[in-house]
Amino acid sequence: MEPALSVPLNQVATWLREAASVVATTGAGISAESGVPTFRGADGLWRTFSAADLATPGAFARQPGLVWEWYRWRRAIISRAQPNEGHRVLARWATSLRRFSLVTQNVDGLHQRAGSPEVLELHGNIWRTRCAAGCGHVVDDSRSEAGIAATDEDQQVPVCRCGARMRPDVVWFGEALDPAVVNRAMALAERCDVLLVIGTSALVYPAAALPDVASRHGARVVEVNVDETPLSPFADAVLRGPSGTVLRELESLL
Ligand code: BJW
Ligand code: ZN
């Protein structure tokens, strides 16, 4: 279902130009053009893999080796991927728009690699490994070859210096997001004039609540997605197409 009111691209560009504060929130779709698989949809990860077997604390407790194998495989894909035009446009908007904030559900770090100076990561970062027992030990695996920590070369499951298992520093289903990060994202949504919702199925909470929060506080909500989502009927504008192309076109009108 297309929204009743079709808003042209140049109208959205005007909203962006006139906004005192713009927030972009991104999902897996923005990295699809970099070759990073999304979760849902025809080629999504959940078509081949079960979320319950891989992205929950219970899955890690039952099969930590399998969970690590899956994350190492994804790290290998991401390490070969390059940021695309969508990431680059958002990086440029950090300086060219009046006040611009970026909130992502993605764990791939491609926004940072594209040059975005500040990225609020709701679901963590796949390149960090942390103690599963919560002793506070965190390892940055981003520079090690294929993203494998030096300490776990021969082991399926890396072990912390406290003896517990290490896990990817991401947020699994049923786990609380960092409250400081969520509060900051909610505050940004409350205060922005335009919220861009880019490449997300808008299904996973609390990220999926941000458009509603922004809308209730008077912001224009603009969806950028190749497909219909539960947000589409409620968005003030829907820009259908691949995020790289749509964002580049939008930038050319600013
Ligand atoms: C393009 C494109 C192109 C493609 N251009 N577009 C019922 C109601 C409300 C909530 C719940 C509920 N039942 C359970 C919950 C809670 C649950 C939840 O929301 N579940 C829903 C699925 C119903 N949420 C949680 O559990 C969260 N925690 C929580 O609520 O804690 C409460 C708590 C409080 C106190 C104590 C304890 C608990 C945590 C959610 C964590 C999500 N984790 C994952 C994995 C992260 C790590 C990893 O990467 O491995 O996050 S799941 C996965 O989904 C990942 C993503 O960030 C997230 C969102 O996915 P995203 O980005 O939207 O991707 P896709 O694939 O879904 O969509 C891609 C989109 O792009 C599509 O629309 C395409 O069309 C589009 N696209 N190419 C533009 N070129
Ligand atoms: Zn530890």
Side-chain angles (χ1 to χ4, degrees):
M1 185 186 84
E2 281 297 307
L5 195 70
S6 170
V7 173
L9 202 63
N10 60 18
Q11 174 65 72
V12 177
T14 304
W15 291 345
L16 289 178
R17 265 198 314 271
E18 291 175 353
S21 169
V22 175
V23 174
T25 140
T26 63
I30 196 166
S31 295
E33 288 153 72
S34 296
V36 180
T38 61
F39 293 90
R40 296 159 191 86
D43 301 321
L45 291 166
W46 300 152
R47 279 285 158 122
T48 325
F49 306 98
S50 144
D53 288 343
L54 293 162
T56 65
F60 187 69
R62 282 189 302 275
Q63 295 182 293
L66 177 71
V67 171
W68 263 113
E69 194 184 327
W70 188 61
Y71 277 95
R72 287 204 181 91
W73 171 73
R74 287 177 55 206
R75 281 180 174 185
I77 294 173
I78 293 163
S79 68
R80 288 193 297 267
Q82 296 301 324
N84 65 57
E85 195 58 28
H87 298 109
R88 284 194 291 270
V89 168
L90 297 184
R92 288 194 286 272
W93 284 354
T95 44
S96 62
L97 290 184
R98 212 169 295 164
R99 187 149 177 259
F100 180 78
S101 307
L102 182 55
V103 179
T104 190
Q105 295 176 81
N106 298 347
V107 299
D108 57 28
L110 287 174
H111 283 304
Q112 291 88 334
R113 280 170 59 195
S116 281
E118 271 180 62
V119 186
L120 212 50
E121 292 178 316
L122 292 171
H123 294 162
N125 191 296
I126 200 169
W127 295 106
R128 280 192 313 264
T129 299
R130 71 171 159 89
C131 176
C135 83
H137 186 49
V138 180
V139 177
D140 176 1
D141 286 342
S142 60
R143 268 176 284 279
S144 52
E145 203 177 331
I148 294 164
T151 49
D152 69 333
E153 251 169 61
D154 304 317
Q155 287 167 277
Q156 272 196 309
V157 181
V159 175
C160 183
R161 57 189 179 194
C162 79
R165 286 175 183 143
M166 300 282 278
R167 56 166 281 179
D169 191 7
V170 298
V171 182
W172 287 324
F173 283 114
E175 291 188 312
L177 284 71
D178 179 339
V181 173
V182 178
N183 291 343
R184 178 98 188 97
M186 292 292 172
L188 287 168
E190 283 175 10
R191 284 178 219 141
C192 70
D193 301 307
V194 179
L195 182 79
L196 298 162
V197 185
I198 305 162
T200 173
S201 56
L203 289 169
V204 175
Y205 286 83
L210 293 170
D212 190 46
V213 169
S215 189
R216 278 190 284 110
H217 285 80
R220 312 262 193 192
V221 174
V222 179
E223 174 172 75
V224 179
N225 200 304
V226 287
D227 273 329
E228 170 94 18
T229 77
L231 172 67
S232 308
F234 304 100
D236 295 291
V238 175
L239 305 176
R240 279 276 168 267
S243 42
T245 312
V246 170
L247 292 176
R248 185 70 198 92
E249 279 176 29
L250 205 46
E251 186 185 42
S252 72
L253 296 171
L254 291 178

